[in-house]
Amino acid sequence: MAVYTDISETDLRAFLAQYDVGELTSYKGIAEGVENSNFLLHTTKDPLILTLYEKRVDAGDLPFFLGLMQHLAEKGLSCPLPLPRHDGKLTGELSGRPAALISFLEGMWLRKPEAVHCEHVGRALAEMHLAAADFAIRRPNALSLDGWIDLWQKAAARADEVQEGLEAEIGDELDHLSGHWPKDLPAGVIHADLFQDNVFFLGDKLSGLIDFYFACNDLLAYDVAICLNAWCFQPDGSYNFAKGAAMLAGYQAVRPLSAEERAALPILARGSALRFFLTRLYDWQMTPEGALVVKKDPLEYLRKLRFHRAIVSPTEYGLEVSA
């Protein structure tokens, strides 16, 4: 979440008049994240999240994102729901941007998750994969191999300003992944961005998943690899084996990984690390000064990428041999 586009109170009140949400009492921007402009609203009825979809989000994808949240909620998964306007539509326009109101999900994200939380996340991810299996709308992953190459072409020229030798290293990595990326693994709807700030807890109980604006159709095990990168490394960059083992156990308790998925986990983890390195690098270079957004360090994911290159067996992530 972030704020790129500001809104006036007058325009916001006119926008809210199209919904049955009561009267506005206060609102404020949310600075976390990098994708859309988000605001926390308080009304005389309920707190809400207002999302303005920025230029990186294709308005044509909104039926997928919003429909997926509805579908998952109907299947019993805890996630925010888009609110309909008086005319039944799920989106309107505010400050020149497509916009939607989303229900507020109780809970908070964890700054210092433990292994038990990682187990809950693994289980919730598998439940999401199963719940979305019959979701009818499809959306290709725009941030898979072709998307990485496109991002790299835009960012490569200034890469060595971030770290010397980076242009050659990432070029070689893209060549390797292009030749070894798996294609025939189980696929379906993935979250693709299930970081700590996109999972809410109430105490030690997971209360819901949020922010489905990178969701798409891709390899299910790739989503697992994203979560290993997002949840199972320490602040000093070291991999936490106990967290990884707990996450993988939680996932496999609901949806066991196939032998082929298990074998592919190291290459999938490399790919997911590269994906977040590249988007962070691009945002680091391109985010305008003055935007109310917290830019994230791309080198964090470069260090993770280098870790995955040294992995010999998926058991090094905590994957049980007999699972």
Side-chain angles (χ1 to χ4, degrees):
M1 296 181 179
V3 175
Y4 294 94
T5 301
D6 201 6
I7 56 176
S8 72
E9 182 177 345
T10 299
D11 290 344
L12 178 56
R13 289 186 182 278
F15 178 83
L16 294 180
Q18 303 172 78
Y19 296 82
D20 183 19
V21 295
E23 294 295 320
L24 178 70
T25 58
S26 67
Y27 71 100
K28 64 178 181 179
I30 303 172
E32 293 169 338
V34 296
E35 186 64 17
N36 301 307
S37 293
N38 291 272
F39 300 82
L40 173 62
L41 313 184
H42 288 277
T43 74
T44 52
K45 286 192 173 183
D46 298 297
L48 300 166
I49 298 296
L50 168 68
T51 298
L52 275 64
Y53 300 100
E54 299 294 342
K55 294 180 179 179
R56 187 185 290 180
V57 175
D58 185 343
D61 287 331
L62 294 180
F64 177 92
F65 299 141
L66 301 176
L68 177 61
M69 285 188 274
Q70 288 183 317
H71 179 88
L72 294 174
E74 289 171 359
K75 291 296 185 77
L77 195 81
S78 180
C79 65
L81 275 174
L83 276 63
R85 306 191 318 173
H86 294 312
D87 61 7
K89 295 179 180 179
L90 296 179
T91 58
E93 184 175 301
L94 182 59
S95 297
R97 299 282 189 268
L101 284 181
I102 310 294
S103 64
F104 180 81
L105 189 67
E106 292 288 346
M108 60 183 296
W109 67 273
L110 303 177
R111 270 67 175 177
K112 296 181 179 180
E114 303 295 337
V116 63
H117 304 118
C118 293
E119 181 180 0
H120 292 324
V121 171
R123 184 178 292 271
L125 181 68
E127 289 171 349
M128 192 213 89
H129 288 167
L130 295 181
D134 59 347
F135 183 56
I137 309 175
R138 294 184 58 83
R139 178 179 181 264
N141 187 359
L143 287 171
S144 191
L145 268 171
D146 290 344
W148 304 341
I149 293 169
D150 181 60
L151 278 172
W152 181 236
Q153 289 173 344
K154 296 174 182 176
R158 294 175 55 197
D160 281 6
E161 296 176 15
V162 177
Q163 188 173 103
E164 187 176 354
L166 198 54
E167 184 174 2
E169 179 180 356
I170 299 304
D172 289 344
E173 183 68 19
L174 275 168
D175 288 342
H176 178 83
L177 291 176
S178 295
H180 294 83
W181 195 249
K183 299 178 181 178
D184 298 323
L185 300 180
V189 175
I190 68 170
H191 185 284
D193 194 41
L194 202 59
F195 279 65
Q196 290 169 215
D197 55 351
N198 288 333
V199 181
F200 282 3
F201 283 84
L202 287 170
D204 284 335
K205 183 179 179 181
L206 191 151
S207 61
L209 311 181
I210 68 167
D211 204 351
F212 288 83
Y213 300 114
F214 285 103
C216 56
N217 291 84
D218 207 330
L219 305 178
L220 299 179
Y222 175 61
D223 222 10
V224 177
I226 290 173
C227 285
L228 288 176
N229 274 315
W231 288 82
C232 301
F233 283 81
Q234 296 297 98
D236 65 3
S238 63
Y239 182 74
N240 188 307
F241 185 88
K243 289 182 180 180
M247 177 168 287
L248 291 165
Y251 186 89
Q252 294 206 106
V254 176
R255 180 189 171 269
L257 294 167
S258 69
E260 293 78 13
E261 288 176 305
R262 292 160 57 85
L265 199 56
I267 196 74
L268 294 171
R270 281 175 69 166
S272 67
L274 180 66
R275 173 260 189 264
F276 288 100
F277 165 77
L278 288 172
T279 50
R280 287 184 175 198
L281 178 65
Y282 180 83
D283 287 335
W284 192 272
Q285 294 175 348
M286 303 300 177
T287 298
E289 294 298 328
L292 181 55
V293 58
V294 179
K295 295 196 292 186
K296 298 180 179 179
D297 181 12
L299 293 182
E300 175 188 352
Y301 271 81
L302 179 64
R303 292 187 288 269
K304 292 178 182 180
L305 172 59
R306 290 168 175 169
F307 168 84
H308 296 305
R309 283 199 199 116
I311 292 292
V312 176
S313 165
T315 59
E316 295 177 66
Y317 293 118
L319 196 61
E320 292 185 6
V321 174
S322 59

